[in-house]
């Protein structure tokens, strides 16, 4: 992932419309043959921008996603739960790093991406703007939010852009533990006291709809879907993935003895699918626009962490600089008189 | 805007006997820190026994535009492969 330091051989000026059209056609043909596109290959500017937008948004989501769960690290009910939660949160930070690294191969600097996030100009998954009110929310997040993320991410392992696909393979290998620890946490709660069962049910009530919204707007209203599918940046539409998630998750809720908070949810026997009631998209839009319960808090926490770490970054840079410029004294001088 | 630290490419040997393989990149102020960041980022689950880091700016890569000139000449030299030579079935150990 070496774009930043390399010449931009891929970005040669198009020579006239005819040649440009031919290049586009060759590019699409490569995609259609399931060839991977690598950093130095020629690619349409729109493809590059679409990838930067999606990978950056994804990276920011991993980084901001550490905050709701980080909220419970000091209050985890046992040492076992605490080491698990720390490991999970650290993984999410790592996922952010893999993804920034992939985005950088497209010629954007990491500093610029982080700057956009801190300035409030970048998007990240709206799910992380909800608060974690009880310990059961940690279970619900692992089970539902990581579950939805896995559903979204598995097809991305076959994305047409090599560095993104490879980052996703790495991420998907790690996500499975996130989901399982969450479900195990929920299982422990529903097998506990009546109060613990209530806590689990309330967490499901809070996280169910936001989890469904994680797949993005319905296909009819999704602006980027068609082009992303053509370029194989995405492999399935938002609604297809959402349906898959509902189909696998409802039986898991039933096993827990919990009720999915959707009175219209029913089993469609001929189609072999669960049918969910309509999603309240006005809530999604409001959270996306910055009016979710924790939008301001999340950004403030990121900014504070960034500022608080500034002296460390500066000290490390100064130390490295000192050692780079410190040269051994010439032998002649060393000999003295 | 704060400047990024230097970019390093990371190569991991997953176990002894295997070659180092490119896994991604990290930013770091110097090589030692790059090793430490690579450890935290790419080997949280025993993925490696050895790490190489190389300044990204030190990597010289071939240009995809010249891929044909570089690699096509090998295509018609099938006589470099053992299957090019027909040997009667009765002949063993060849
Ligand atoms: Fe993640
Ligand atoms: Fe995760």
């Amino acid at each position: 992932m070496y774009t930043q330091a390399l010449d931009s051989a891929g970005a040669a000026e198009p020579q006239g419309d005819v040649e440009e059209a031919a290049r586009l056609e060759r590019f699409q043909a490569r995609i259609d043959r399931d060839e991977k596109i690598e950093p130095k290959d020629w690619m349409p500017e729109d493809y590059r921008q679409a990838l930067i937008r999606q990978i950056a948004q994804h990276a920011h989501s991993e980084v901001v996603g550490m905050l709701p769960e980080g909220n419970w690290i000091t209050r985890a009910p046992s040492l076992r739960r605490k080491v698990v939660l720390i490991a999970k949160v650290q993984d999410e930070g790592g996922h952010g790093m893999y993804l920034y690294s992939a985005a950088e191969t497209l010629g954007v600097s990491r500093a610029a991406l982080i700057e956009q996030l801190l300035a409030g100009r970048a998007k990240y998954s709206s799910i992380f703007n909800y608060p974690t009110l009880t310990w059961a929310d940690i279970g619900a997040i692992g089970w539902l939010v990581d579950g939805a993320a896995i559903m979204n991410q598995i097809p991305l392992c076959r994305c047409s852009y090599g560095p993104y696909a490879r980052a996703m393979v790495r991420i998907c290998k790690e996500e499975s533990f996130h989901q399982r620890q969450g479900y195990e946490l929920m299982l422990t709660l529903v097998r506990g006291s009546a109060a613990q069962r209530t806590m689990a049910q309330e967490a499901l009530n809070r996280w169910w709809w936001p989890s469904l919204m994680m797949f993005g707007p319905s296909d009819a209203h999704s602006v980027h879907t068609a082009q992303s599918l053509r370029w194989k940046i995405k492999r399935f539409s938002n609604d297809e993935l959402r349906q898959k998630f509902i189909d696998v998750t409802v039986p898991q809720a039933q096993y827990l003895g919990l009720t999915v908070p959707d009175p219209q949810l029913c089993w469609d026997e001929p189609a072999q699918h669960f049918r969910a009631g309509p999603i309240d998209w006005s809530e999604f839009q409001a959270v996306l626009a910055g009016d979710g319960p924790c939008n301001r808090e999340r950004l403030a926490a990121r900014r504070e962490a960034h500022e608080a770490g500034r002296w460390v970054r500066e000290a490390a840079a100064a130390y490295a600089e000192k050692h780079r410029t410190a040269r051994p004294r010439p032998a002649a001088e060393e000999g003295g008189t | 805007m704060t400047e990024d630290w230097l970019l390093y490419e990371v190569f991991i040997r997953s176990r002894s006997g295997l070659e180092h393989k490119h896994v991604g990149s990290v930013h770091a102020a110097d090589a030692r820190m790059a090793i430490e960041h690579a450890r935290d980022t790419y080997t949280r689950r025993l993925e490696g026994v050895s790490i190489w880091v190389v300044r990204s700016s030190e990597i010289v890569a071939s240009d995809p535009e010249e891929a044909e000139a570089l690699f096509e000449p090998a295509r018609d030299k099938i006589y470099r492969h053992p299957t090019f030579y027909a040997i009667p079935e009765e002949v063993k150990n060849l």
Side-chain angles (χ1 to χ4, degrees), chain B residues 8-57:
Chain B
Y8 287 84
E9 299 305 315
V10 180
F11 301 80
I12 306 268
R13 183 201 297 288
S14 54
R15 55 192 159 83
S16 62
L18 296 180
E19 62 276 66
H20 286 78
K21 200 173 149 199
H22 184 248
V23 293
S25 62
V26 292
H27 286 276
D30 58 29
R32 182 65 218 167
M33 191 196 277
I35 296 265
E36 282 160 11
H37 284 179
R39 193 273 315 258
D40 290 345
T41 309
Y42 294 104
T43 65
R44 289 193 301 282
R45 288 175 175 77
L46 295 174
E47 290 95 335
V49 295
S50 161
I51 300 173
W52 285 353
V53 292
V54 182
R55 280 281 301 277
S56 307
S57 56

Side-chain angles (χ1 to χ4, degrees), chain A residues 1-2 4-6 40-41 90-91 94 98 101 104 109-112 115 170 174 177 310 313 316 320 324, chain B residues 1-2 4-7 9 22-25 27 29-30 33 41-42 44-45 56-57 59 61-64:
Chain A
M1 316 207 168
Y2 37 71
Q4 211 181 29
L6 287 173
K40 284 183 57 119
D41 294 346
Q90 193 191 9
D91 273 356
Y98 306 153
S101 170
E104 283 180 284
S109 81
R110 187 174 308 202
E115 179 98 338
R170 202 169 280 284
E174 301 183 355
F177 128 65
R310 183 181 296 279
R313 293 193 297 277
R324 252 193 295 279
Chain B
M1 185 168 84
T2 335
D4 276 319
W5 279 331
L6 303 171
L7 189 60
E9 299 305 315
H22 184 248
V23 293
S25 62
H27 286 276
D30 58 29
M33 191 196 277
T41 309
Y42 294 104
R44 289 193 301 282
R45 288 175 175 77
S56 307
S57 56
I59 289 182
S62 66
D63 184 341

Side-chain angles (χ1 to χ4, degrees), chain A residues 53-333:
Chain A
R53 188 182 58 239
Q54 180 169 331
I55 300 173
Q57 194 172 324
H58 195 163
H60 297 327
S61 302
E62 301 283 355
V63 169
V64 177
M66 290 190 281
L67 297 170
E69 290 179 293
N71 181 34
W72 279 90
I73 288 175
T74 56
R75 291 173 289 163
S78 69
L79 187 58
R80 177 180 183 269
R81 292 290 179 199
K82 185 183 289 213
V83 294
V84 167
L85 186 54
I86 290 173
K88 177 182 189 292
V89 170
Q90 193 191 9
D91 273 356
E92 305 300 3
H95 297 175
M97 298 305 112
Y98 306 153
L99 289 162
Y100 285 129
S101 170
E104 283 180 284
T105 65
L106 293 157
V108 59
S109 81
R110 187 174 308 202
L113 295 177
I114 290 172
E115 179 98 338
Q116 284 167 13
L117 173 66
L118 297 180
R121 281 184 278 115
K123 277 194 205 158
Y124 56 85
S125 184
S126 56
I127 193 91
F128 301 118
N129 288 320
Y130 292 87
T132 40
L133 301 178
T134 72
W135 173 248
D137 286 352
I138 300 305
I141 287 181
W143 170 36
L144 300 171
V145 176
D146 288 84
I150 292 171
M151 209 50 100
N152 252 328
Q153 289 169 348
I154 285 177
L156 291 175
C157 295
R158 295 189 296 125
C159 161
S160 62
Y161 187 58
Y164 189 29
R166 292 191 286 274
M168 292 317 305
V169 168
R170 202 169 280 284
I171 288 174
C172 285
K173 275 189 196 155
E174 301 183 355
E175 286 294 352
S176 171
F177 128 65
H178 299 179
Q179 193 188 18
R180 289 171 69 108
Q181 65 83 34
Y183 193 76
E184 187 212 59
L185 201 165
M186 293 301 272
L187 258 178
T188 309
L189 287 175
V190 299
R191 288 171 179 166
S193 66
Q196 285 173 315
R197 270 193 298 281
T198 307
M199 206 161 93
Q201 178 63 55
E202 285 172 354
L204 173 58
N205 295 349
R206 278 193 289 278
W207 292 92
W208 174 255
W209 290 105
S211 298
L212 296 191
M213 292 181 208
M214 276 179 75
F215 295 93
S218 81
D219 296 346
H221 300 105
S222 176
V223 263
H224 302 304
T225 294
Q227 184 56 269
S228 285
L229 288 171
R230 204 154 33 240
W231 278 332
K232 296 187 183 168
I233 294 176
K234 286 177 82 154
R235 293 292 189 138
F236 297 98
S237 76
N238 296 351
D239 287 335
E240 285 173 302
L241 290 168
R242 188 171 9 249
Q243 185 60 52
K244 276 191 183 192
F245 175 74
I246 294 168
D247 287 337
V248 303
T249 310
V250 170
Q252 294 167 354
Q254 289 168 343
Y255 184 84
L256 291 171
L258 299 177
T259 310
V260 172
D262 176 357
Q264 294 182 49
L265 183 77
C266 58
W267 173 247
D268 179 345
E269 180 63 36
Q272 295 287 300
H273 284 301
F274 285 100
R275 296 291 174 210
I279 293 174
D280 177 8
W281 288 110
S282 62
E283 180 189 319
F284 177 80
Q285 294 303 341
V287 179
L288 210 58
D291 293 325
C294 297
N295 294 51
R296 285 166 201 83
E297 189 185 326
R298 298 292 182 238
L299 271 191
R302 280 317 309 157
R303 283 190 198 116
E304 196 190 313
H306 193 72
E307 280 312 310
R310 183 181 296 279
W311 72 271
V312 181
R313 293 193 297 277
E314 288 173 357
Y319 177 83
E321 186 56 32
K322 190 172 111 188
H323 284 261
R324 252 193 295 279
T325 50
R327 301 196 191 293
R329 281 183 300 157
E333 268 175 52

